[in-house]
Amino acid sequence: MDEKARKYVDMFRQVKIASAATVDEGGHPRSRIINIMIASDEGMYIVTSKGKPFYSQLVKTGEIALSAMCPDCQSLKFWGKVKMAEKKWVDEVFEQNPGMNEVYPGDTRYILDAFLIYQGSGEWFDLLHYPIRRESFSYGMEEERAGYLITDACTGCGACTAVCPQKCITEGTPCIINASNCLQCGACREICPVDAVRSLYKSKATQ
Amino acid sequence: MDEKARKYVDMFRQVKIASAATVDEGGHPRSRIINIMIASDEGMYIVTSKGKPFYSQLVKTGEIALSAMCPDCQSLKFWGKVKMAEKKWVDEVFEQNPGMNEVYPGDTRYILDAFLIYQGSGEWFDLLHYPIRRESFSYGMEEERAGYLITDACTGCGACTAVCPQKCITEGTPCIINASNCLQCGACREICPVDAVRSLYKSKATQ
């Protein structure tokens, strides 16, 4: 894991409270609040108990999406792959999160299994400052791309700069989107008279 | 919407910051932080912009899962159905959430569409108090069931009460699970020597 990815994995652990999304047996989205229990260079560890639909969904799909909000309104989102970890990680989780003993006292902890999120791609997003800022990160796989690119088909008419809510497009031929300040709202693509704005979004999940 | 559902819909609106999960074009889970912009008897309103994968996923699947954490560590989770609302709801959202004008100033707001979460089933969960507490709610559809029930096959041996992390099973023949204090961890089902513990989970999403 590179330094940038580790920074954001540590941020998930620091916030601790995250939302975990999975796809259920019928292909429907599911979500619940979980804790990021351990951050390491291998990824993020979570726990859940054998009797929960969440557990079956993790085992069956091997996938998870996370999102979290930092106290200062920076947000994180992430998609990744997950696998069950050895039982010793349950003990390690309780070691690093002693509050867990109040919910699962004594040996009752062993109804839990630990899961390692061993690869994934995510994004940090700060909506509170102007201009907004975003940064991508990943570990164990390439970063997922998102947002828009203005191609050489651009005639420099400036229609996109006029409608951009964040004024993050520099005029020119072609105009240039400053991706780190972009809301990815798509207003530039909607207005472009020559269809010069191309979506960069290509889900890594589908590859 | 009944009073109980309205209470939790209002709680989502009060927390405001929620995680929204969807399923993408490849069947993979996706998640991001959003705001619950309006709570009403019709449901919850959110907005997103035309250029985002989130937007396409909402339009294509008509489904969303939410989770949120209240400041005092009570959590909410929810699954429901979503449809695009008339454009006037974008204005109503900006009226009720004036901070949105800083992100989408002036007419740039119209790259957004509003979506109404018009039905769904959810659960409130308080993990901080002992015993833990939970309550289900729904609007526009039946409440989704979850957790476990001990059937008449129970011999009253008490194995389940011994392993229950929350001590929420009353001994008897049959033993009885106090559902509102249950972690739904499944430890009782694992230990039961006569297979008397039945899962109540039946996803409403699949019906």
Side-chain angles (χ1 to χ4, degrees), chain A residues 19 31 51-52 63 67 148 183, chain B residues 19 28 31 51-52 67 148 183:
Chain A
S19 149
S31 174
K52 289 183 191 288
E63 293 186 24
S67 53
Y148 294 92
L183 284 168
Chain B
S19 149
H28 305 278
S31 174
K52 289 183 191 289
S67 53
Y148 294 93
L183 284 168

Side-chain angles (χ1 to χ4, degrees), chain B residues 2-151:
Chain B
D2 65 21
E3 212 175 305
K4 186 172 66 166
R6 185 61 200 253
K7 180 174 80 177
Y8 291 116
V9 161
D10 284 341
M11 197 183 283
F12 263 119
R13 165 63 181 156
Q14 213 175 345
V15 180
K16 198 174 172 189
I17 293 161
S19 149
T22 45
V23 176
D24 75 10
E25 65 285 4
H28 305 278
R30 294 284 161 167
S31 174
R32 75 289 293 160
I33 297 295
I34 62 156
N35 286 347
I36 305 299
M37 296 292 189
I38 296 172
S40 83
D41 275 342
E42 279 66 53
M44 295 178 271
Y45 287 89
I46 59 172
V47 292
T48 187
S49 61
K50 213 167 272 186
K52 289 183 191 289
F54 180 39
Y55 185 106
S56 330
Q57 290 156 17
L58 289 178
V59 169
K60 193 175 168 197
T61 67
E63 293 186 24
I64 192 168
L66 301 175
S67 53
M69 179 63 100
C70 308
D72 52 352
C73 272
Q74 300 169 49
S75 74
L76 289 163
K77 66 178 175 181
F78 181 86
W79 169 87
K81 293 202 169 173
V82 73
K83 63 182 175 194
M84 203 180 295
E86 286 171 48
K87 214 71 179 183
K88 69 176 182 192
W89 286 99
V90 173
D91 293 324
E92 187 61 31
V93 161
F94 277 65
E95 191 75 33
Q96 293 195 29
N97 302 268
M100 285 295 288
N101 285 296
E102 286 166 41
V103 185
Y104 290 95
D107 280 354
T108 68
R109 70 169 67 166
Y110 297 114
I111 193 68
L112 301 169
D113 271 302
F115 290 83
L116 170 62
I117 304 168
Y118 62 94
Q119 65 170 217
S121 182
E123 196 180 66
W124 165 86
F125 188 57
D126 181 358
L127 197 65
L128 259 205
H129 294 88
Y130 185 89
I132 66 104
R133 283 182 305 150
R134 59 171 75 239
E135 186 172 58
S136 296
F137 63 96
S138 71
Y139 61 91
M141 63 186 289
E142 266 181 77
E143 273 176 32
E144 198 167 85
R145 300 196 72 176
Y148 294 93
L149 181 80
I150 301 178
T151 68

Side-chain angles (χ1 to χ4, degrees), chain A residues 9 12 20 74-75 81 84 91 94 102 105 131-132 145 151 153 157 160-161 166 168 170 175 184 207:
Chain A
V9 160
F12 263 118
Q74 299 169 50
S75 74
K81 293 202 169 172
M84 203 180 293
D91 293 324
F94 277 64
E102 286 166 41
I132 66 101
R145 301 195 73 175
T151 67
C157 76
C160 56
T161 60
Q166 292 288 318
C168 71
T170 307
C175 294
Q184 303 176 350
Q207 289 168 31

Side-chain angles (χ1 to χ4, degrees), chain A residues 20 22 32-35 37 45-59 64 82-85 87 89-90 93-94 100 104 108-116, chain B residues 77 125 134 148 183-187:
Chain A
T22 46
R32 74 290 292 161
I33 298 294
I34 63 157
N35 286 347
M37 295 292 189
Y45 287 88
I46 60 173
V47 292
T48 188
S49 62
K50 214 167 272 186
K52 289 183 191 288
F54 180 39
Y55 184 105
S56 331
Q57 289 157 16
L58 289 179
V59 169
I64 191 168
V82 72
K83 63 182 175 194
M84 203 180 293
K87 214 74 178 181
W89 286 99
V90 173
V93 160
F94 277 64
M100 285 295 289
Y104 290 96
T108 68
R109 69 170 67 166
Y110 296 114
I111 194 66
L112 300 170
D113 271 301
F115 289 84
L116 170 62
Chain B
K77 66 178 175 181
F125 188 57
R134 59 171 75 239
Y148 294 93
L183 284 168
Q184 303 176 351
C185 71

Side-chain angles (χ1 to χ4, degrees), chain A residues 24-168:
Chain A
D24 76 9
E25 65 285 4
H28 306 277
R30 294 285 161 166
S31 174
R32 74 290 292 161
I33 298 294
I34 63 157
N35 286 347
I36 305 298
M37 295 292 189
I38 296 172
S40 83
D41 275 342
E42 279 66 54
M44 295 177 272
Y45 287 88
I46 60 173
V47 292
T48 188
S49 62
K50 214 167 272 186
K52 289 183 191 288
F54 180 39
Y55 184 105
S56 331
Q57 289 157 16
L58 289 179
V59 169
K60 193 174 168 197
T61 67
E63 293 186 24
I64 191 168
L66 301 174
S67 53
M69 180 63 101
C70 307
D72 52 352
C73 271
Q74 299 169 50
S75 74
L76 288 165
K77 66 178 175 180
F78 180 87
W79 169 86
K81 293 202 169 172
V82 72
K83 63 182 175 194
M84 203 180 293
E86 286 171 47
K87 214 74 178 181
K88 69 176 181 191
W89 286 99
V90 173
D91 293 324
E92 186 61 30
V93 160
F94 277 64
E95 192 74 33
Q96 293 196 29
N97 303 269
M100 285 295 289
N101 284 297
E102 286 166 41
V103 185
Y104 290 96
D107 280 353
T108 68
R109 69 170 67 166
Y110 296 114
I111 194 66
L112 300 170
D113 271 301
F115 289 84
L116 170 62
I117 304 168
Y118 63 94
Q119 63 170 218
S121 181
E123 196 180 66
W124 165 86
F125 189 58
D126 180 357
L127 198 65
L128 259 205
H129 294 89
Y130 185 88
I132 66 101
R133 282 183 305 151
R134 60 170 76 239
E135 185 171 60
S136 296
F137 63 95
S138 72
Y139 61 90
M141 63 184 289
E142 266 182 76
E143 273 175 31
E144 198 167 83
R145 301 195 73 175
Y148 294 92
L149 180 80
I150 302 178
T151 67
D152 286 343
C154 171
T155 61
C157 76
C160 56
T161 60
V163 297
C164 176
Q166 292 288 318
K167 301 292 171 219
C168 71

